[in-house]
Amino acid sequence: MAAFDEAEYLAAVRSGDFSKLLEPQRRLLDALLGNAALRAGDVREVLGELTESAARMLEVGRVGLWRFDDTRGQIECLDLYLLDDERHERGVVVPRAAAPAYFTAISSGQVIAAENAYLDPRTRQLGPSYLQRYQVGAMLDTPVLIHGELAGVLCHEHIGGERRWRAWERTLAASLSECAGLVLAEGAR
């Protein structure tokens, strides 16, 4: 999938042609929900396509889909795409005790746009064990809902220093989270 074109997006905003704003997300959602692997019950493959597409569209080094456990005491990575390495990982678990402020923030269901993840009060507790280890400088985390209930978070992680998250990036990230929720709901059928 082609990279998200900010200039084209902003031109569509100015013109009022909102169909152009949703076209990349619509194409992605159609591809994900139409994937034969999803119909066969293989959610992993489809989630991999989603995280990979998200990384390319937002040009971030890491995109991970994390799901809460039943008690919301931890999140587990269902799929993490590493753009530079072009590979996927899964299974990492982050307990609430490691970053209670982060868990409070993601549990609120609000978008977290941490332009400096080391200084942002919502994300800084992730510092030594996560941010430094993976060289994450900024995070754009959006809630994933299944049937209207918070189920997890889609994390878009910028490698390196700070990054100012623009409005179109926040909107796109939220749309990608909606796609993730639909895929997870479809896979649970």
Side-chain angles (χ1 to χ4, degrees), residues 79-96:
D79 189 87
L80 173 71
Y81 182 69
L82 307 167
L83 183 63
D84 287 346
D85 297 337
E86 295 185 352
R87 68 182 170 86
H88 296 265
E89 294 179 356
R90 60 191 50 83
V92 173
V93 172
V94 176
R96 176 182 287 276

Side-chain angles (χ1 to χ4, degrees), residues 171-182:
T171 301
L172 180 57
S175 294
L176 293 166
S177 284
E178 290 178 29
C179 290
L182 291 170

Side-chain angles (χ1 to χ4, degrees), residues 81-154:
Y81 182 69
L82 307 167
L83 183 63
D84 287 346
D85 297 337
E86 295 185 352
R87 68 182 170 86
H88 296 265
E89 294 179 356
R90 60 191 50 83
V92 173
V93 172
V94 176
R96 176 182 287 276
Y102 178 72
F103 272 77
T104 298
I106 62 174
S107 294
S108 75
Q110 300 296 312
V111 172
I112 298 174
E115 296 179 357
N116 182 329
Y118 293 94
L119 298 179
D120 191 294
R122 299 165 296 180
T123 57
R124 68 177 169 220
Q125 291 173 332
L126 295 167
S129 62
Y130 192 85
L131 302 175
Q132 289 174 350
R133 180 176 181 189
Y134 300 113
Q135 301 171 347
V136 175
M139 299 173 72
L140 178 58
D141 294 0
T142 50
V144 174
L145 305 177
I146 299 176
H147 305 298
E149 295 293 321
L150 183 64
V153 61
L154 187 62

Side-chain angles (χ1 to χ4, degrees), residues 160-184:
E162 296 180 22
R163 176 171 172 169
R164 183 177 164 271
W165 298 107
R166 296 167 288 198
W168 70 265
E169 292 171 318
R170 294 173 192 220
T171 301
L172 180 57
S175 294
L176 293 166
S177 284
E178 290 178 29
C179 290
L182 291 170
V183 168
L184 289 171

